[in-house]
Amino acid sequence: MTHAMQNIAILGSTGSIGVNTLDVVARHPDRFRVTALTAKSSTDVLLAQCKQFKPEFAVLMDTGAARSFEQSVAEAGLPTRVLCGVEALEKVASLPQVDTVMAAIVGIAGLRPTLAAAASGKKVLLANKESLVTAGPLFMNTVRRHGARLLPIDSEHNAVFQSLPREFYGDLDACGVRRILLTASGGPFRTLPLDAFARVTPDQACAHPNWVMGRKISVDSATMMNKGLEVIEAHWLFNAPPERIEVVVHPESIVHSMVEYVDGSAIAQLGNPDMRTPIAHALAYPERITNGVTALDLAAAGSLHFEKPDWARFPCLALPSDALRAGEGAATVLNAANEVAVERFLEQGLSYPDIPRLIESVLRAVHAPAAHTLTDVLELDHEARGRAWAWQGRSLHAAGAGTIAVAARS
Ligand code: NAD
Ligand code: MG
């Protein structure tokens, strides 16, 4: 069978999703050609990727790093042009020769290039959930207006997409869908004694039982903020009100999510926890391609468990749905506060229980008008970040035994 060659730009190629994407791409040189690779600062990994895939463009975020990278590329005799900065990300995401953009930058840093890909009508493989959380209406309108094709990479949303009828176009009722059931592993602290939370370290929070991922999403999985963000993501992707999206804890991470229909059928997608499954699905859609993923052995898995989420243990889980109901720009504020809280936890000793405290405090403090344009979104993000860096938890420390006071960023 012959296939049209797909030219791909991978935004965030040195990260967990980026590396998995290149692993699948490398298995199918007859289908995929890499046009652009991008990284924030991991020049060693990026150089190795450029040597293997010989892209036309490589983008770094720092001018100094880009300049010395240019030299390495020249010494290696590669055809790659080195560019720098967020405008360069937007440029490679909208190149006329690019068919498909893998949006795998972490955080709101991914918003501008992902929007640029949508605005130039690309096939957008969306891993960067923060684009939808921070700018849902703007993003979805851009996709519709410019005829982009949006395919979810987040394993849950990819599972939902696979469990919906092909003809789904945004009307759940028309397809007889009652609810979307998002599964959640519960992360590394599903059964940790509550009095141990105050001493949780970054490495413990990043040690996910089933998935190897970047550190930001790993912390989000530990707090279950990730699942809350995924409720917002599902809301925009599938036009589902929050009351029709239910979170089910499933520690084995084998059922990746489900769609429940009005006749009582629940259609699920199952597989080993390996991101190469949703990546390959979206890359080749509507065809299926091999990807090195081990076949599921249900007998070896033995039993699958399901339980209700423990809302008291995971205060971050409810915050995104609340923000979605509050409307306006609350989700943008929530995302900014969470990104800063996670960074402060990972780098600056903010205690684990202070993560939800910081976020709630910023949500209360920042007035969040509706953000209609990219400028509105970025301004709101900026204001919320300022608050989040300044947060010291003064009034809350009396109540929170074991919390560590952390100075604002100097
Ligand atoms: P990661 O930290 O491993 O990689 C992030 C990538 O983005 C790297 O290439 C990095 O160089 C680049 N990057 C970071 N900050 C940047 C900035 N300011 N400007 C430009 N580039 C920047 O992250 P990841 O785990 O691969 O996750 C990427 C995205 O995919 C996230 O939005 C995450 O929520 C989503 N996602 C990841 C997984 C997973 O299994 N890792 C699963 C579902 C969804
Ligand atoms: Mg997920």
Side-chain angles (χ1 to χ4, degrees):
M1 198 157 107
T2 53
H3 339 271
M5 180 63 80
Q6 265 187 73
N7 291 311
I8 307 182
I10 303 177
L11 310 174
S13 65
T14 57
S16 166
I17 294 288
V19 167
N20 276 302
T21 303
L22 286 171
D23 181 282
V24 178
V25 163
R27 292 165 193 272
H28 301 278
D30 56 322
R31 284 178 180 264
F32 308 117
R33 188 186 298 129
V34 177
T35 306
L37 296 173
T38 87
K40 185 179 182 187
S41 54
S42 325
T43 46
D44 293 352
V45 181
L46 189 64
L47 186 63
Q49 293 180 341
C50 286
K51 285 179 179 164
Q52 186 180 353
F53 294 96
K54 307 199 169 43
E56 274 178 68
F57 295 93
V59 182
L60 281 159
M61 298 312 287
D62 175 76
T63 326
R67 219 169 276 143
S68 66
F69 192 74
E70 207 161 26
Q71 222 160 12
S72 315
V73 161
E75 279 162 21
L78 297 174
T80 308
R81 268 183 67 194
V82 180
L83 306 175
C84 175
V86 67
E87 286 81 12
L89 291 177
E90 291 174 322
K91 178 190 157 98
V92 299
S94 44
L95 287 169
Q97 66 269 43
V98 164
D99 307 296
T100 301
V101 175
M102 167 56 84
I105 289 173
V106 61
I108 197 174
L111 175 60
R112 278 179 56 177
T114 309
L115 259 182
S120 38
K122 303 300 186 198
K123 173 170 153 186
V124 181
L125 312 191
L126 189 72
N128 178 246
K129 64 191 85 187
E130 295 90 346
S131 286
L132 276 179
V133 171
T134 57
L138 173 66
F139 189 79
M140 293 307 288
N141 285 334
T142 306
V143 166
R144 275 189 286 269
R145 199 166 337 115
H146 299 277
R149 182 75 170 104
L150 188 57
L151 291 163
I153 294 298
D154 214 343
S155 57
E156 296 77 3
H157 305 75
N158 185 270
V160 169
F161 182 76
Q162 293 198 47
S163 305
L164 282 166
R166 260 300 155 78
E167 61 275 15
F168 174 76
Y169 59 93
D171 187 342
L172 293 175
D173 290 328
C175 296
V177 173
R178 186 187 288 143
R179 289 184 309 168
I180 287 171
L181 307 175
L182 293 182
T183 51
S185 69
F189 305 142
R190 189 172 56 87
T191 57
L192 187 77
L194 286 177
D195 61 5
F197 273 103
R199 294 181 303 280
V200 157
T201 66
D203 284 346
Q204 289 171 325
C206 289
H208 196 280
N210 308 333
W211 300 94
V212 180
M213 310 179 285
R215 282 169 78 81
K216 191 265 180 180
I217 185 176
S218 295
V219 175
D220 284 349
S221 299
T223 61
M224 288 194 79
M225 172 60 80
N226 182 52
K227 206 52 52 181
L229 298 178
E230 290 182 356
V231 169
I232 302 186
E233 187 183 7
H235 166 72
W236 293 116
L237 280 175
F238 306 117
N239 193 25
E243 59 276 10
R244 287 170 73 171
I245 306 170
E246 179 138 335
V247 174
V248 185
V249 173
H250 165 47
E252 291 85 3
S253 299
I254 283 178
V255 176
H256 296 306
S257 278
M258 291 167 264
V259 174
E260 181 190 270
Y261 291 84
V262 289
D263 62 2
S265 300
I267 308 278
Q269 185 257 353
L270 282 70
N272 285 323
D274 189 323
M275 289 308 291
R276 292 176 300 178
T277 294
I279 289 168
H281 170 263
L283 275 172
Y285 184 81
E287 292 174 46
R288 298 274 178 175
I289 56 172
T290 56
N291 54 4
V293 174
T294 313
L296 182 60
D297 183 346
L298 279 174
S303 29
L304 303 181
H305 297 84
F306 300 91
E307 60 195 44
K308 283 192 158 68
D310 181 344
W311 300 92
R313 169 178 288 269
F314 297 109
C316 286
L317 176 56
L319 294 176
S321 309
D322 292 348
L324 195 54
R325 288 193 183 87
E328 310 275 87
T332 310
V333 173
L334 167 99
N335 178 73
N338 181 56
E339 284 192 28
V340 173
V342 171
E343 193 176 335
R344 286 179 59 175
F345 169 70
L346 287 174
E347 320 260 332
Q348 307 203 341
L350 183 82
S351 82
Y352 180 86
D354 270 348
I355 295 173
R357 295 185 187 124
L358 182 158
I359 297 166
E360 281 179 286
S361 160
V362 174
L363 275 169
R364 275 196 302 272
V366 177
H367 170 64
H372 297 295
T373 65
L374 178 62
T375 310
D376 293 344
V377 172
L378 296 179
E379 275 174 8
L380 196 50
D381 172 75
H382 181 76
E383 187 192 346
R385 272 167 200 276
R387 293 273 186 170
W389 279 111
W391 186 82
Q392 300 202 42
R394 274 180 296 268
S395 56
L396 293 161
H397 271 286
T403 33
I404 306 159
V406 173
R409 185 194 215 175
S410 50

